[in-house]
Coordinates of all heavy atoms in Angstrom, one line a residue:
M1 N -4.4 8.5 28.2 CA -5.1 9.4 27.4 C -4.2 9.5 26.0 O -4.8 9.7 24.9 CB -5.2 10.8 27.9 CG -6.2 10.9 29.1 SD -7.8 10.3 28.7 CE -8.4 11.5 27.6
G2 N -2.9 9.5 26.2 CA -2.1 9.5 25.0 C -2.4 8.3 24.0 O -2.3 8.5 22.8
V3 N -2.5 7.1 24.6 CA -2.8 6.0 23.7 C -4.1 6.1 23.0 O -4.2 5.8 21.8 CB -2.7 4.6 24.6 CG1 -3.2 3.5 23.9 CG2 -1.3 4.5 25.2
V4 N -5.1 6.5 23.7 CA -6.4 6.8 23.1 C -6.3 7.8 22.0 O -6.8 7.6 20.9 CB -7.5 7.2 24.1 CG1 -8.8 7.6 23.5 CG2 -7.7 6.1 25.2
A5 N -5.6 8.9 22.3 CA -5.4 9.9 21.2 C -4.6 9.4 20.0 O -5.0 9.7 18.9 CB -4.7 11.1 21.8
Y6 N -3.7 8.5 20.3 CA -2.8 8.0 19.2 C -3.6 7.0 18.3 O -3.6 7.1 17.1 CB -1.6 7.3 19.9 CG -0.5 7.0 18.9 CD1 -0.2 7.7 17.8 CD2 0.3 5.9 19.2 CE1 0.9 7.3 17.0 CE2 1.4 5.5 18.4 CZ 1.7 6.3 17.3 OH 2.7 5.9 16.5
V7 N -4.4 6.2 19.0 CA -5.1 5.1 18.3 C -6.3 5.8 17.4 O -6.4 5.6 16.3 CB -5.6 4.0 19.2 CG1 -6.7 3.2 18.5 CG2 -4.5 3.2 19.7
L8 N -7.0 6.6 18.1 CA -8.2 7.2 17.5 C -7.7 8.2 16.5 O -8.3 8.4 15.4 CB -9.1 7.9 18.5 CG -9.8 7.0 19.5 CD1 -10.8 7.7 20.4 CD2 -10.6 5.9 18.7
G9 N -6.6 8.9 16.7 CA -6.0 9.8 15.7 C -5.5 9.0 14.5 O -5.8 9.5 13.3
M10 N -5.0 7.9 14.6 CA -4.6 7.1 13.5 C -5.9 6.6 12.7 O -5.9 6.6 11.5 CB -3.8 5.8 13.9 CG -2.4 6.1 14.1 SD -1.4 6.5 12.6 CE -1.6 5.1 11.6
V11 N -6.9 6.2 13.4 CA -8.1 5.7 12.8 C -8.8 6.8 11.9 O -9.1 6.7 10.8 CB -9.1 5.1 13.8 CG1 -10.5 4.9 13.2 CG2 -8.6 3.9 14.4
L12 N -8.9 7.9 12.6 CA -9.6 9.0 12.0 C -8.8 9.6 10.8 O -9.3 9.9 9.7 CB -9.9 10.2 12.9 CG -11.0 9.8 13.9 CD1 -11.1 10.9 15.0 CD2 -12.3 9.5 13.3
F13 N -7.5 9.8 10.9 CA -6.7 10.3 9.9 C -6.5 9.4 8.7 O -6.4 9.8 7.6 CB -5.2 10.8 10.4 CG -4.7 11.8 9.5 CD1 -5.3 13.1 9.3 CD2 -3.5 11.6 9.0 CE1 -4.6 14.1 8.6 CE2 -2.8 12.6 8.3 CZ -3.5 13.8 8.0
S14 N -6.5 8.0 9.0 CA -6.5 7.0 8.0 C -7.8 7.1 7.2 O -7.8 6.9 6.0 CB -6.3 5.6 8.6 OG -5.1 5.5 9.1
M15 N -8.9 7.3 7.8 CA -10.2 7.4 7.1 C -10.1 8.6 6.2 O -10.6 8.6 5.1 CB -11.3 7.6 8.1 CG -11.6 6.3 8.9 SD -12.8 6.6 10.2 CE -14.3 6.8 9.2
I16 N -9.5 9.7 6.7 CA -9.5 10.9 5.8 C -8.5 10.7 4.6 O -8.8 11.1 3.4 CB -9.0 12.2 6.7 CG1 -10.1 12.6 7.6 CG2 -8.7 13.4 5.8 CD1 -9.6 13.5 8.7
M17 N -7.4 10.1 4.9 CA -6.4 10.0 3.9 C -6.6 8.8 3.0 O -6.1 8.8 1.8 CB -4.9 9.8 4.5 CG -4.4 10.9 5.3 SD -4.2 12.4 4.3 CE -2.8 11.9 3.3
G18 N -7.2 7.8 3.5 CA -7.6 6.6 2.6 C -6.6 5.5 2.8 O -6.8 4.4 2.3
N19 N -5.4 5.7 3.6 CA -4.6 4.7 3.9 C -3.9 5.0 5.2 O -3.7 6.1 5.6 CB -3.6 4.3 2.7 CG -2.6 5.5 2.4 OD1 -2.1 6.1 3.3 ND2 -2.5 5.8 1.2
A20 N -3.3 3.9 5.8 CA -2.6 4.1 7.1 C -1.1 4.6 6.9 O -0.6 5.2 7.8 CB -2.6 2.7 7.8
F21 N -0.6 4.4 5.8 CA 0.9 4.8 5.6 C 1.1 6.3 5.6 O 2.0 6.8 6.2 CB 1.4 4.1 4.4 CG 1.3 2.7 4.3 CD1 0.5 2.0 3.6 CD2 2.2 1.9 5.2 CE1 0.4 0.6 3.6 CE2 2.2 0.5 5.2 CZ 1.3 -0.1 4.4
A22 N 0.1 7.0 5.0 CA 0.3 8.5 4.9 C -0.1 9.0 6.3 O 0.5 10.0 6.8 CB -0.7 9.0 3.9
A23 N -1.0 8.4 7.0 CA -1.4 8.9 8.4 C -0.4 8.6 9.4 O -0.2 9.4 10.4 CB -2.7 8.3 8.8
F24 N 0.4 7.6 9.2 CA 1.3 7.1 10.2 C 2.3 8.1 10.6 O 2.6 8.4 11.8 CB 2.0 5.8 9.9 CG 2.9 5.3 10.8 CD1 2.5 4.7 12.0 CD2 4.3 5.3 10.6 CE1 3.4 4.2 13.0 CE2 5.2 4.8 11.6 CZ 4.7 4.3 12.7
T25 N 3.0 8.7 9.6 CA 4.1 9.6 9.9 C 3.6 10.9 10.6 O 4.2 11.4 11.5 CB 4.8 10.1 8.7 OG1 3.9 10.6 7.7 CG2 5.6 8.9 8.0
V26 N 2.4 11.4 10.2 CA 1.8 12.6 10.7 C 1.4 12.4 12.2 O 1.8 13.2 13.1 CB 0.7 13.1 9.9 CG1 0.0 14.3 10.5 CG2 1.2 13.4 8.4
I27 N 0.7 11.3 12.4 CA 0.1 11.1 13.8 C 1.3 10.7 14.7 O 1.3 11.0 15.8 CB -1.0 10.1 13.7 CG1 -2.1 10.5 12.9 CG2 -1.5 9.7 15.1 CD1 -2.8 11.9 13.3
T28 N 2.2 9.9 14.2 CA 3.3 9.5 15.1 C 4.1 10.7 15.5 O 4.5 10.8 16.6 CB 4.2 8.4 14.4 OG1 3.4 7.3 14.1 CG2 5.3 8.0 15.3
A29 N 4.4 11.6 14.6 CA 5.2 12.8 14.9 C 4.4 13.7 15.8 O 5.0 14.3 16.7 CB 5.6 13.5 13.7
G30 N 3.1 13.8 15.5 CA 2.3 14.8 16.4 C 1.8 14.3 17.7 O 1.7 15.1 18.6
I31 N 1.4 13.0 17.7 CA 0.9 12.5 19.0 C 1.7 11.3 19.6 O 1.9 11.3 20.8 CB -0.6 11.9 18.7 CG1 -1.5 13.1 18.3 CG2 -1.1 11.2 19.9 CD1 -2.9 12.6 17.8
G32 N 2.2 10.4 18.7 CA 3.0 9.3 19.2 C 4.2 9.6 20.0 O 4.5 9.2 21.1
V33 N 5.0 10.5 19.4 CA 6.4 10.8 20.0 C 6.1 11.6 21.3 O 6.7 11.2 22.3 CB 7.2 11.5 19.0 CG1 8.5 12.1 19.7 CG2 7.6 10.6 17.9
P34 N 5.4 12.7 21.4 CA 5.3 13.5 22.6 C 4.4 12.8 23.7 O 4.7 13.0 24.8 CB 4.8 14.8 22.2 CG 4.1 14.6 20.9 CD 4.8 13.4 20.2
F35 N 3.4 12.0 23.3 CA 2.4 11.6 24.2 C 2.5 10.1 24.6 O 1.9 9.6 25.5 CB 1.0 12.0 23.9 CG 0.8 13.4 23.8 CD1 0.6 14.1 22.6 CD2 0.8 14.3 24.9 CE1 0.4 15.4 22.5 CE2 0.6 15.6 24.8 CZ 0.4 16.2 23.6
V36 N 3.2 9.4 23.7 CA 3.3 7.9 24.0 C 4.7 7.5 24.2 O 5.1 6.9 25.2 CB 2.6 7.2 22.8 CG1 2.7 5.7 23.0 CG2 1.1 7.6 22.7
F37 N 5.6 7.8 23.2 CA 6.9 7.3 23.3 C 7.7 8.0 24.4 O 8.5 7.4 25.1 CB 7.7 7.6 22.0 CG 7.1 6.8 20.8 CD1 7.4 7.3 19.5 CD2 6.3 5.8 20.9 CE1 6.9 6.6 18.4 CE2 5.7 5.1 19.8 CZ 6.1 5.5 18.6
A38 N 7.4 9.3 24.6 CA 8.2 10.1 25.6 C 7.8 9.7 27.0 O 8.6 9.9 28.0 CB 7.9 11.6 25.4
L39 N 6.6 9.0 27.2 CA 6.2 8.6 28.5 C 6.6 7.2 28.7 O 6.2 6.5 29.8 CB 4.7 8.7 28.6 CG 4.2 10.1 28.5 CD1 2.7 10.1 28.6 CD2 4.8 11.0 29.6
G40 N 7.5 6.6 27.9 CA 8.0 5.2 28.3 C 7.5 4.0 27.5 O 7.9 3.0 27.7
A41 N 6.7 4.3 26.5 CA 6.1 3.2 25.7 C 7.3 2.6 24.8 O 8.1 3.3 24.4 CB 5.0 3.6 24.9
D42 N 7.2 1.3 24.5 CA 8.2 0.7 23.6 C 7.8 1.2 22.2 O 6.7 0.9 21.7 CB 8.1 -0.8 23.7 CG 9.1 -1.5 22.8 OD1 9.9 -0.9 22.2 OD2 9.0 -2.7 22.7
P43 N 8.7 1.9 21.5 CA 8.5 2.5 20.2 C 8.0 1.4 19.1 O 7.2 1.6 18.3 CB 9.7 3.2 19.8 CG 10.4 3.4 21.0 CD 10.1 2.3 22.0
I44 N 8.6 0.2 19.2 CA 8.4 -0.8 18.2 C 6.9 -1.4 18.4 O 6.2 -1.5 17.5 CB 9.3 -2.0 18.3 CG1 10.8 -1.4 18.0 CG2 9.0 -3.2 17.4 CD1 11.9 -2.4 18.3
V45 N 6.6 -1.7 19.7 CA 5.2 -2.1 19.9 C 4.2 -1.1 19.6 O 3.1 -1.4 19.0 CB 5.1 -2.7 21.4 CG1 3.7 -3.0 21.8 CG2 6.1 -3.8 21.6
A46 N 4.4 0.1 20.1 CA 3.4 1.2 19.9 C 3.3 1.6 18.4 O 2.1 1.8 17.9 CB 3.9 2.4 20.6
A47 N 4.4 1.5 17.6 CA 4.3 1.8 16.2 C 3.5 0.7 15.5 O 2.8 1.1 14.6 CB 5.7 2.0 15.6
A48 N 3.8 -0.5 15.9 CA 3.0 -1.6 15.2 C 1.6 -1.6 15.5 O 0.7 -1.7 14.6 CB 3.6 -3.0 15.7
L49 N 1.2 -1.3 16.7 CA -0.2 -1.1 17.1 C -0.8 0.1 16.4 O -2.0 0.1 16.0 CB -0.3 -1.0 18.6 CG -0.2 -2.3 19.3 CD1 -0.1 -2.0 20.8 CD2 -1.1 -3.4 19.0
A50 N -0.1 1.2 16.2 CA -0.6 2.4 15.5 C -0.8 2.1 14.0 O -1.9 2.5 13.5 CB 0.4 3.5 15.7
M51 N 0.1 1.2 13.4 CA -0.1 0.9 12.0 C -1.4 0.1 11.8 O -2.2 0.3 10.9 CB 1.0 0.2 11.4 CG 2.1 1.1 10.9 SD 1.5 2.3 9.6 CE 1.2 1.2 8.2
T52 N -1.6 -0.9 12.7 CA -2.8 -1.7 12.6 C -4.0 -1.0 13.0 O -5.1 -1.3 12.4 CB -2.6 -3.0 13.4 OG1 -2.3 -2.7 14.8 CG2 -1.5 -3.9 12.8
A53 N -3.9 0.0 13.9 CA -5.1 0.8 14.1 C -5.5 1.7 12.9 O -6.6 1.9 12.6 CB -4.8 1.7 15.4
G54 N -4.4 2.1 12.2 CA -4.7 2.8 11.0 C -5.3 2.0 9.9 O -6.2 2.5 9.2
C55 N -5.0 0.7 9.9 CA -5.6 -0.2 9.0 C -7.1 -0.3 9.3 O -7.9 -0.6 8.4 CB -4.9 -1.5 8.9 SG -3.2 -1.4 8.2
C56 N -7.4 -0.3 10.6 CA -8.9 -0.3 11.0 C -9.6 0.9 10.4 O -10.7 0.8 10.0 CB -8.9 -0.3 12.5 SG -8.4 -1.8 13.2
G57 N -8.9 2.0 10.4 CA -9.5 3.3 9.8 C -9.7 3.0 8.3 O -10.7 3.5 7.8
T58 N -8.8 2.3 7.7 CA -8.9 2.1 6.2 C -10.1 1.2 6.0 O -10.8 1.3 4.9 CB -7.6 1.4 5.7 OG1 -6.6 2.2 6.0 CG2 -7.7 1.2 4.2
L59 N -10.5 0.3 6.9 CA -11.6 -0.5 6.6 C -13.0 0.3 6.7 O -14.0 -0.3 6.2 CB -11.7 -1.7 7.7 CG -10.6 -2.7 7.8 CD1 -10.7 -3.6 9.0 CD2 -10.6 -3.5 6.4
L60 N -12.9 1.4 7.3 CA -14.2 2.1 7.5 C -14.4 3.3 6.5 O -15.3 4.1 6.7 CB -14.1 2.7 9.0 CG -14.1 1.8 10.0 CD1 -13.8 2.4 11.3 CD2 -15.3 0.9 10.1
T61 N -13.7 3.4 5.5 CA -13.8 4.6 4.6 C -13.9 4.3 3.1 O -13.2 3.3 2.7 CB -12.7 5.6 4.9 OG1 -12.8 6.7 4.0 CG2 -11.3 4.9 4.5
P62 N -14.7 5.1 2.4 CA -14.7 4.8 1.0 C -13.5 5.4 0.3 O -13.2 5.3 -0.9 CB -16.0 5.4 0.5 CG -16.3 6.4 1.6 CD -15.8 5.9 2.8
M63 N -12.7 6.2 1.0 CA -11.4 6.8 0.5 C -10.5 5.7 0.1 O -9.6 6.0 -0.7 CB -10.8 7.8 1.5 CG -11.7 9.0 1.8 SD -12.0 10.0 0.3 CE -10.4 10.8 0.1
A64 N -10.5 4.6 0.7 CA -9.6 3.5 0.4 C -10.2 2.8 -0.8 O -10.7 1.6 -0.7 CB -9.5 2.6 1.6
A65 N -10.1 3.3 -1.9 CA -10.7 2.8 -3.1 C -10.3 1.4 -3.5 O -11.1 0.6 -3.9 CB -10.5 3.8 -4.3
N66 N -9.0 1.0 -3.3 CA -8.5 -0.3 -3.6 C -9.2 -1.4 -2.8 O -9.3 -2.4 -3.2 CB -7.0 -0.4 -3.5 CG -6.3 0.5 -4.5 OD1 -6.9 0.9 -5.6 ND2 -5.0 0.8 -4.3
F67 N -9.4 -1.0 -1.5 CA -9.9 -2.0 -0.6 C -11.4 -2.1 -0.5 O -12.1 -3.1 -0.2 CB -9.4 -1.8 0.8 CG -7.8 -1.9 0.8 CD1 -7.1 -0.7 1.1 CD2 -7.2 -3.0 0.6 CE1 -5.8 -0.7 1.1 CE2 -5.8 -3.1 0.6 CZ -5.0 -1.9 0.8
N68 N -12.1 -0.9 -0.7 CA -13.5 -0.8 -0.4 C -14.3 -0.5 -1.7 O -15.4 -1.1 -1.8 CB -13.8 0.2 0.6 CG -13.1 -0.1 2.0 OD1 -12.9 -1.3 2.2 ND2 -12.6 0.9 2.7
A69 N -14.0 0.4 -2.5 CA -14.8 0.8 -3.7 C -14.6 -0.2 -4.8 O -15.6 -0.6 -5.4 CB -14.5 2.2 -4.1
L70 N -13.4 -0.5 -5.1 CA -13.1 -1.4 -6.2 C -13.7 -2.8 -6.1 O -14.4 -3.4 -7.0 CB -11.6 -1.6 -6.4 CG -11.1 -2.4 -7.7 CD1 -11.6 -1.6 -9.0 CD2 -9.6 -2.5 -7.7
P71 N -13.7 -3.5 -4.9 CA -14.4 -4.8 -4.8 C -15.8 -4.7 -5.1 O -16.5 -5.5 -5.7 CB -14.1 -5.2 -3.4 CG -12.8 -4.6 -3.1 CD -12.9 -3.2 -3.7
A72 N -16.5 -3.6 -4.5 CA -18.0 -3.4 -4.8 C -18.3 -3.3 -6.3 O -19.3 -3.8 -6.7 CB -18.4 -2.2 -4.0
A73 N -17.4 -2.6 -7.0 CA -17.6 -2.4 -8.4 C -17.4 -3.7 -9.2 O -18.1 -4.0 -10.1 CB -16.7 -1.3 -8.9
L74 N -16.3 -4.5 -8.8 CA -16.0 -5.6 -9.5 C -17.0 -6.8 -9.2 O -17.2 -7.6 -10.2 CB -14.6 -6.2 -9.1 CG -13.4 -5.4 -9.6 CD1 -12.2 -5.9 -9.0 CD2 -13.4 -5.4 -11.2
L75 N -17.6 -6.8 -8.1 CA -18.6 -7.8 -7.8 C -20.0 -7.4 -8.1 O -21.0 -8.1 -7.8 CB -18.6 -8.1 -6.3 CG -17.3 -8.7 -5.7 CD1 -17.3 -8.8 -4.2 CD2 -17.1 -10.1 -6.4
D76 N -20.2 -6.2 -8.7 CA -21.5 -5.7 -9.1 C -22.4 -5.6 -8.0 O -23.6 -6.1 -8.1 CB -22.1 -6.4 -10.3 CG -21.3 -6.2 -11.6 OD1 -20.8 -5.1 -11.8 OD2 -21.2 -7.1 -12.4
M77 N -22.0 -5.2 -6.8 CA -22.8 -5.1 -5.6 C -23.8 -4.0 -5.8 O -23.6 -2.9 -6.3 CB -21.9 -4.9 -4.4 CG -21.0 -6.0 -4.2 SD -20.0 -5.7 -2.7 CE -21.1 -5.8 -1.3
K78 N -25.0 -4.2 -5.3 CA -26.1 -3.1 -5.4 C -25.8 -2.0 -4.5 O -26.0 -0.9 -4.8 CB -27.5 -3.7 -5.2 CG -27.9 -4.8 -6.1 CD -29.2 -5.4 -5.8 CE -29.6 -6.4 -6.9 NZ -30.7 -7.2 -6.5
D79 N -25.2 -2.3 -3.3 CA -24.8 -1.2 -2.4 C -23.4 -0.9 -2.6 O -22.5 -1.8 -2.3 CB -25.1 -1.7 -0.9 CG -24.9 -0.7 0.1 OD1 -24.6 0.5 -0.2 OD2 -24.9 -1.1 1.3
P80 N -23.0 0.2 -3.0 CA -21.5 0.6 -3.2 C -20.8 0.5 -1.8 O -19.6 0.5 -1.9 CB -21.6 1.9 -3.8 CG -22.9 2.5 -3.6 CD -23.8 1.4 -3.3
N81 N -21.4 0.7 -0.7 CA -20.7 0.6 0.5 C -21.0 -0.7 1.3 O -20.7 -0.8 2.5 CB -21.3 1.8 1.4 CG -20.9 3.1 0.9 OD1 -19.8 3.3 0.4 ND2 -21.9 4.1 1.0
G82 N -21.4 -1.7 0.6 CA -21.6 -3.0 1.1 C -20.3 -3.6 1.7 O -20.4 -4.3 2.7
V83 N -19.1 -3.4 1.1 CA -17.9 -3.9 1.6 C -17.6 -3.3 2.9 O -17.1 -3.9 3.9 CB -16.7 -3.7 0.6 CG1 -15.4 -4.0 1.2 CG2 -17.1 -4.4 -0.7
I84 N -17.8 -1.9 3.1 CA -17.5 -1.2 4.2 C -18.5 -1.7 5.4 O -18.0 -1.9 6.5 CB -17.6 0.3 4.0 CG1 -16.6 0.8 3.1 CG2 -17.6 1.0 5.4 CD1 -16.7 2.1 2.6
K85 N -19.7 -1.9 5.1 CA -20.7 -2.4 6.0 C -20.3 -3.7 6.6 O -20.6 -4.1 7.7 CB -22.1 -2.4 5.5 CG -22.6 -0.9 5.2 CD -24.0 -1.0 4.6 CE -24.5 0.4 4.3 NZ -25.7 0.3 3.5
A86 N -19.7 -4.6 5.7 CA -19.3 -5.9 6.1 C -18.1 -5.9 7.1 O -17.8 -6.8 7.9 CB -19.0 -6.8 5.0
Q87 N -17.3 -4.8 7.0 CA -16.1 -4.7 7.7 C -16.2 -3.9 9.0 O -15.3 -3.9 9.8 CB -15.0 -4.1 6.9 CG -14.7 -4.8 5.6 CD -13.7 -4.1 4.7 OE1 -13.0 -4.8 4.1 NE2 -13.8 -2.8 4.5
V88 N -17.2 -3.2 9.3 CA -17.4 -2.3 10.3 C -17.3 -3.0 11.7 O -16.6 -2.6 12.6 CB -18.7 -1.5 10.2 CG1 -19.1 -0.9 11.6 CG2 -18.8 -0.4 9.2
G89 N -17.9 -4.1 11.8 CA -17.8 -4.9 13.1 C -16.4 -5.2 13.5 O -16.0 -5.0 14.6
V90 N -15.7 -5.8 12.5 CA -14.3 -6.2 12.8 C -13.5 -5.0 13.2 O -12.6 -5.1 14.2 CB -13.7 -7.0 11.6 CG1 -12.3 -7.3 11.8 CG2 -14.5 -8.2 11.4
A91 N -13.6 -3.9 12.5 CA -12.9 -2.7 12.6 C -13.1 -2.1 14.1 O -12.2 -1.8 14.8 CB -13.1 -1.7 11.6
I92 N -14.4 -2.0 14.5 CA -14.7 -1.5 15.7 C -14.1 -2.3 16.9 O -13.5 -1.7 17.8 CB -16.2 -1.3 16.0 CG1 -16.8 -0.4 14.9 CG2 -16.6 -0.9 17.3 CD1 -16.3 1.0 15.0
V93 N -14.2 -3.6 16.8 CA -13.7 -4.5 17.8 C -12.2 -4.4 17.9 O -11.6 -4.3 19.0 CB -14.0 -5.9 17.5 CG1 -13.3 -6.9 18.4 CG2 -15.6 -6.2 17.7
M94 N -11.5 -4.3 16.7 CA -10.1 -4.2 16.7 C -9.6 -2.8 17.3 O -8.6 -2.7 18.0 CB -9.5 -4.3 15.3 CG -9.6 -5.7 14.8 SD -8.7 -6.9 15.9 CE -7.0 -6.4 15.7
I95 N -10.4 -1.8 17.1 CA -10.0 -0.4 17.6 C -10.1 -0.5 19.1 O -9.2 0.0 19.9 CB -10.9 0.7 17.0 CG1 -10.7 0.9 15.6 CG2 -10.8 1.9 17.9 CD1 -11.7 1.7 14.9
I96 N -11.2 -1.1 19.7 CA -11.3 -1.2 21.2 C -10.1 -2.1 21.8 O -9.6 -1.7 22.8 CB -12.6 -1.9 21.5 CG1 -13.8 -0.9 21.1 CG2 -12.7 -2.2 22.9 CD1 -15.1 -1.5 21.1
I97 N -9.8 -3.1 21.0 CA -8.6 -4.0 21.5 C -7.3 -3.2 21.5 O -6.5 -3.3 22.4 CB -8.5 -5.2 20.6 CG1 -9.7 -6.1 20.9 CG2 -7.3 -6.0 20.8 CD1 -9.8 -7.4 20.0
H98 N -7.1 -2.3 20.5 CA -6.0 -1.6 20.4 C -5.8 -0.6 21.6 O -4.7 -0.4 22.0 CB -5.9 -0.7 19.1 CG -5.4 -1.5 17.9 ND1 -6.2 -2.4 17.3 CD2 -4.2 -1.6 17.3 CE1 -5.5 -3.0 16.3 NE2 -4.3 -2.5 16.3
V99 N -6.9 0.0 22.0 CA -6.8 0.9 23.1 C -6.4 0.2 24.4 O -5.6 0.7 25.1 CB -8.2 1.6 23.3 CG1 -8.2 2.4 24.6 CG2 -8.4 2.6 22.1
F100 N -6.9 -1.0 24.6 CA -6.6 -1.7 25.8 C -5.2 -2.3 25.7 O -4.5 -2.4 26.6 CB -7.6 -2.8 26.1 CG -9.0 -2.2 26.6 CD1 -10.1 -2.3 25.8 CD2 -9.0 -1.7 27.9 CE1 -11.3 -1.7 26.2 CE2 -10.2 -1.1 28.3 CZ -11.3 -1.1 27.5

């Protein structure tokens, strides 16, 4: 349950913040240390997986303007969320892989 909370917490908080770096410290201190690291997980492996899970959250949000909103504007896409829609499948698969 700790791993699920850690991964999904990183994804959701990255979506809110717009990037994984800001979410990493908050979620690691609040969920990672007491519920994952304290139970015996390797901190290096768990932290690396948490950062990449956070990057999956970045793929799913318009708050990540550099990655999602700017390319849509530069490419003159009709759908401003077209970049996000193209990335949803990869992000969902990667989130599931992170949990396992």
Side-chain angles (χ1 to χ4, degrees):
M1 294 303 291
V3 171
V4 173
Y6 194 29
V7 169
L8 294 181
M10 277 297 296
V11 169
L12 294 175
F13 204 59
S14 294
M15 289 175 71
I16 293 168
M17 297 297 293
N19 65 44
F21 298 108
F24 180 73
T25 56
V26 175
I27 299 300
T28 298
I31 297 173
V33 172
F35 297 112
V36 179
F37 300 160
L39 297 176
D42 183 6
I44 295 171
V45 173
L49 289 173
M51 273 303 287
T52 53
C55 291
C56 291
T58 304
L59 295 174
L60 298 172
T61 181
M63 294 296 290
N66 293 343
F67 301 110
N68 299 330
L70 186 63
L74 290 175
L75 296 171
D76 290 328
M77 296 176 71
K78 293 178 183 172
D79 184 8
N81 293 322
V83 175
I84 297 170
K85 290 177 183 175
Q87 299 172 146
V88 166
V90 173
I92 298 295
V93 169
M94 289 303 297
I95 292 167
I96 293 169
I97 289 170
H98 277 79
V99 171
F100 287 110

